[in-house]
Amino acid sequence: MKHIAPLILIFAPLTAHADAPRVATDILPVHALTARVMDGVGTPDLIVPANASPHGHAMRPSEAKALDEADLVIWIGESLTPWLEGPLEALGGDAQKLELLEVEGTVLHDFRETATLDAGDHDGHDHDDHGHEDHAGHDHGDHDHAKEEEHAGHDHDHDHDHDDHAHDDHAGHDHDDHDHAKEEEHAGHDHDHDHGKEEEHAGHDHGDHAGHDHHDHDHSGVDPHAWLDPANALLWTDTIAAALSEIDPDNAAAYAANAEAARAEISAAQAEVTETLSGAQNASYVVFHDAYQYFELPFGLTPLGAIRQGDAVDPSPARIAELRAEITERGVTCAMSEPQFNTRMIDTVLEGTDAKTVEIDPLGTTIEQGPDFYPNLLKAMADSLASCVD
């Protein structure tokens, strides 16, 4: 009998951890918000690893297994990861789903269509207080987005019509020669190829997404990089806590306390970022692709332009020529590169100028994963921007 007590001590922590819900998340920032809310209860799984592009990833067996075993799947939405919708239906059919872009009150902006971004392109394009159906039964209509309303010229009732979404049709879609149909077949195979350098796919035109019923997944719709607005992170933190509490009521108090602490940490990071960027409001810089308006607007930043409109759309010669002319005329001194992309295109645009290049990472691929990730992401982006325009 004297050997029983040590065995109990060994297996007790495993039993407690097994009681935690299994949660799968799509990208690092969503994983981080979820990890903060689950702190002390469990750890979520990450489906899209740090070195992969959210726009196209062939899941490894461990990632497919996490999706298959999930009680709850939390993701930005199919506009960021259209390839994930098929596996969600096939592997995560029994799990509850929380699509963050559909959470009521989420601040949303449309993609901007011009190469230059500092000429009032936001007017009439914002979707604050997005009127979506409530996910997981949580009403966040009272969340204060007054500051975001200052950026929105109009309030659009943007209907994604997800109820009519034909999930079965997504498994074999052809992304303009970029074959995502094979990605579901690859879910059971281990792939080490690097999706990070999107430039390797420069020959694939994703701009029109022809043949897809992904709610017109060209870049004329809603910009999915909404995690970069701290107001959305604050809202989603509460939403995640409520969704977790619904499937795991025994730990509801812990989720609520963690969410409250997370909100305080995000607010503190906002204040620090505001101070860091206090001298950057009038600075003119160029970004690699138009992914930062959710970060720019809350902090009063005004980039000159974006080389790419979106992650997967190569710029036309006319767009590059327009941007080069503006850079020369205005004397832009800095461009923001991203670790997921080759810098050749930036080098082409900046050729003949004295502009420097500074790296910024909207996914935080080099930041340590865990509960502190999101505040650190905000601060890292602010540091990069400050060093760019300094």
Side-chain angles (χ1 to χ4, degrees):
M1 294 294 293
K2 61 184 178 181
H3 297 293
I4 294 177
L7 289 175
I8 293 174
L9 290 175
I10 290 172
F11 287 105
L14 296 178
T15 302
H17 183 72
D19 290 339
R22 296 296 302 269
V23 181
T25 60
D26 56 352
I27 60 173
L28 281 170
V30 175
H31 178 270
L33 294 174
T34 306
R36 183 64 185 92
V37 176
M38 295 184 70
D39 193 25
V41 178
T43 303
D45 292 306
L46 179 65
I47 301 300
V48 183
N51 66 339
S53 167
H55 301 281
H57 172 59
M59 290 190 297
R60 295 177 171 88
S62 59
E63 295 155 2
K65 184 174 183 288
L67 196 60
D68 185 46
E69 296 179 350
D71 301 304
L72 173 65
V73 178
I74 305 174
W75 63 318
I76 291 293
E78 49 93 23
S79 58
L80 181 71
T81 53
W83 60 271
L84 185 55
E85 201 162 43
L88 268 178
E89 189 73 11
L91 299 174
D94 295 332
Q96 291 194 30
K97 282 88 171 178
L98 177 58
E99 186 172 355
L100 296 175
L101 291 183
E102 294 294 310
V103 172
E104 186 173 354
T106 297
V107 177
L108 298 175
H109 305 297
D110 282 348
F111 276 107
R112 298 174 286 193
E113 298 181 1
T114 60
T116 52
L117 306 176
D118 62 349
D121 290 324
H122 295 281
D123 293 342
H125 287 280
D126 294 348
H127 297 265
D128 295 354
D129 296 323
H130 206 53
H132 290 295
E133 286 296 317
D134 190 16
H135 284 259
H138 315 303
D139 183 7
H140 295 273
D142 294 331
H143 189 76
D144 184 10
H145 289 278
K147 290 185 179 180
E148 277 67 38
E149 289 290 353
E150 295 173 8
H151 305 301
H154 304 281
D155 185 5
H156 291 266
D157 185 12
H158 189 77
D159 184 7
H160 285 273
D161 195 17
H162 282 271
D163 292 337
D164 295 331
H165 205 59
H167 294 280
D168 292 340
D169 293 336
H170 293 281
H173 288 258
D174 180 8
H175 284 264
D176 291 343
D177 298 329
H178 186 74
D179 189 2
H180 290 286
K182 292 183 180 178
E183 289 175 2
E184 285 190 39
E185 299 172 9
H186 291 206
H189 304 283
D190 193 1
H191 291 271
D192 292 323
H193 57 273
D194 182 5
H195 289 276
K197 296 296 183 182
E198 289 289 337
E199 286 298 324
E200 295 173 8
H201 300 286
H204 305 292
D205 181 7
H206 296 261
D208 297 326
H209 292 275
H212 290 267
D213 187 18
H214 286 301
H215 309 306
D216 297 321
H217 279 297
D218 56 18
H219 287 278
S220 60
V222 170
D223 180 349
H225 301 85
W227 68 88
L228 295 177
D229 189 332
N232 286 338
L234 291 169
L235 171 65
W236 293 346
T237 295
D238 286 342
T239 307
I240 292 167
L244 286 166
S245 297
E246 184 173 308
I247 63 172
D248 182 24
D250 290 344
N251 287 307
Y255 298 139
N258 286 342
E260 183 178 359
R263 288 175 58 84
E265 292 158 6
I266 294 169
S267 295
Q270 276 185 281
E272 186 173 332
V273 168
T274 299
E275 178 64 25
T276 300
L277 297 175
S278 60
Q281 278 71 25
N282 296 320
S284 187
Y285 58 95
V286 171
V287 296
F288 179 73
H289 84 287
D290 187 15
Y292 302 99
Q293 57 182 323
Y294 290 99
F295 190 81
E296 294 156 1
L297 293 174
F299 298 109
L301 304 175
T302 55
L304 168 65
I307 297 172
R308 277 182 166 184
Q309 185 181 24
D311 305 57
V313 182
D314 286 333
S316 66
R319 185 183 183 95
I320 291 178
E322 176 189 354
L323 200 53
R324 280 178 57 84
E326 290 290 334
I327 289 171
T328 302
E329 180 180 342
R330 303 199 196 186
V332 171
T333 58
C334 183
M336 307 297 301
S337 66
E338 298 175 29
Q340 297 86 5
F341 298 92
N342 193 292
T343 61
R344 286 195 311 258
M345 202 169 293
I346 291 180
D347 295 338
T348 297
V349 172
L350 298 183
E351 186 177 3
T353 75
D354 295 326
K356 62 181 178 180
T357 301
V358 174
E359 187 174 271
I360 190 170
D361 186 1
L363 290 171
T365 55
T366 62
I367 298 174
E368 183 178 357
Q369 295 183 32
D372 298 329
F373 176 99
Y374 188 79
N376 289 337
L377 173 64
L378 294 179
K379 290 184 279 189
M381 289 186 59
D383 289 341
S384 293
L385 279 162
S387 66
C388 182
V389 301
D390 187 13

